[in-house]
Amino acid sequence: MIKLFQSWKGVCPLTAANWEEKLKEFKQYLKKMKSYEEAVGLIYWDMRTGAPKKGIAARSEVVGELSGELFRMAVSDRMGEFLDYFSRPEVNEKLNRIERRIVSECAKEYERSKKIPPDLHQAYVVLTSQAESAWEEAKHKSDFPGFQPYLEKIVDMNLQFIDLWGYEGHKYNTLLDMYEPGMTVAKLDEVFGACGRRSFHFCPRFRNRPTGRTLRS
């Protein structure tokens, strides 16, 4: 794909007309991805509010199919073409601040998602959809054992993802970086450790409790 794209660059000099047209195509591509995302969100909402319990499994499969298509678009050769093109310095400098950030975030997601087999991703989406419904039911019954098998599978699949993505130091660092770039377990331990030590000065009734004991109100 890279060789083909390099050949395309050689015969298509950069002009206002072609880079603006390429940008329009890219935005349309992202808009289609957003449509899948909105559809998945609507089905999730239906599952959480009005879907019959016997229909949860079927709706979870639909969520899996749509999410799978969204995932395939995110890691497609077409997406790779767009990102290669808009990452070129002479093109990237023509984008506004928001467009550059979109390209940057798409590239980061592209590199990460390319390491995950599509079938594994789709299976994870179906699992989490079913798990959410199971959690709702277990929560009202205070039935953790009923939810535990789903939780164990979710943790196991996340560990598989982390091994595929790679990690530095603690495995959880990879997941933290997705939500708070640059955050690590070591930094969190330092922050919350300091908060914990200081909080004891404001909570006299906790001062004499054994270290490590769960604090309950």
Side-chain angles (χ1 to χ4, degrees):
M1 187 271 289
I2 294 177
K3 289 184 178 180
L4 289 173
F5 189 65
Q6 287 174 339
S7 299
W8 180 85
K9 289 193 293 184
V11 300
C12 187
L14 181 65
T15 66
N18 62 37
W19 83 262
E20 287 178 352
E21 183 61 30
K22 196 78 170 178
L23 181 60
K24 182 179 179 181
E25 292 175 13
F26 182 46
K27 288 182 176 181
Q28 284 296 120
Y29 193 83
L30 295 180
K31 183 178 180 181
K32 184 175 181 179
M33 291 178 63
K34 185 64 177 177
S35 295
Y36 279 112
E37 187 178 324
E38 293 286 347
V40 169
L42 183 60
I43 297 172
Y44 262 125
W45 175 82
D46 181 53
M47 289 170 62
R48 291 294 302 274
T49 56
K53 293 187 181 301
K54 292 183 178 180
I56 295 298
R59 280 174 170 78
S60 295
E61 292 293 335
V62 173
V63 167
E65 287 292 337
L66 293 177
S67 296
E69 183 60 29
L70 178 60
F71 183 82
R72 284 186 285 273
M73 290 184 70
V75 299
S76 68
D77 288 347
R78 184 64 170 148
M79 176 62 83
E81 273 189 26
F82 283 129
L83 296 175
D84 283 344
Y85 181 79
F86 289 110
S87 295
R88 292 166 58 188
E90 66 271 28
V91 179
N92 195 264
E93 67 181 10
K94 294 181 178 294
L95 305 178
N96 62 40
R97 180 175 60 86
I98 295 176
E99 291 164 346
R100 283 195 294 271
R101 186 58 182 267
I102 290 173
V103 170
S104 175
E105 290 300 312
C106 284
K108 185 176 181 180
E109 184 66 25
Y110 177 83
E111 292 301 324
R112 185 165 54 219
S113 297
K114 284 288 282 187
K115 298 176 182 179
I116 304 298
D119 290 346
L120 182 61
H121 173 268
Q122 185 166 331
Y124 180 76
V125 171
V126 173
L127 171 64
T128 52
S129 298
Q130 294 173 342
E132 191 164 3
S133 177
W135 171 78
E136 285 282 356
E137 185 173 348
K139 178 179 65 173
H140 293 298
K141 297 179 180 178
S142 295
D143 177 25
F144 178 72
F147 176 66
Q148 186 174 355
Y150 293 95
L151 182 59
E152 290 176 347
K153 290 178 183 178
I154 289 171
V155 171
D156 181 64
M157 293 189 77
N158 271 282
L159 289 173
Q160 292 182 57
F161 292 151
I162 291 170
D163 287 336
L164 291 168
W165 287 322
Y167 61 93
E168 295 182 9
H170 199 288
K171 285 190 173 185
Y172 194 50
N173 289 341
T174 298
L175 299 181
L176 284 173
D177 187 66
M178 293 181 184
Y179 297 95
E180 188 64 38
M183 184 56 65
T184 65
V185 169
K187 291 179 181 178
L188 286 179
D189 283 344
E190 183 178 345
V191 171
F192 287 109
C195 289
R197 290 190 295 272
R198 293 177 182 178
S199 67
F200 276 79
H201 296 291
F202 300 99
C203 305
R205 66 193 178 114
F206 294 143
R207 288 179 186 171
N208 297 323
R209 294 196 177 191
T211 303
R213 180 178 175 183
T214 301
L215 303 181
R216 298 181 183 276
S217 58

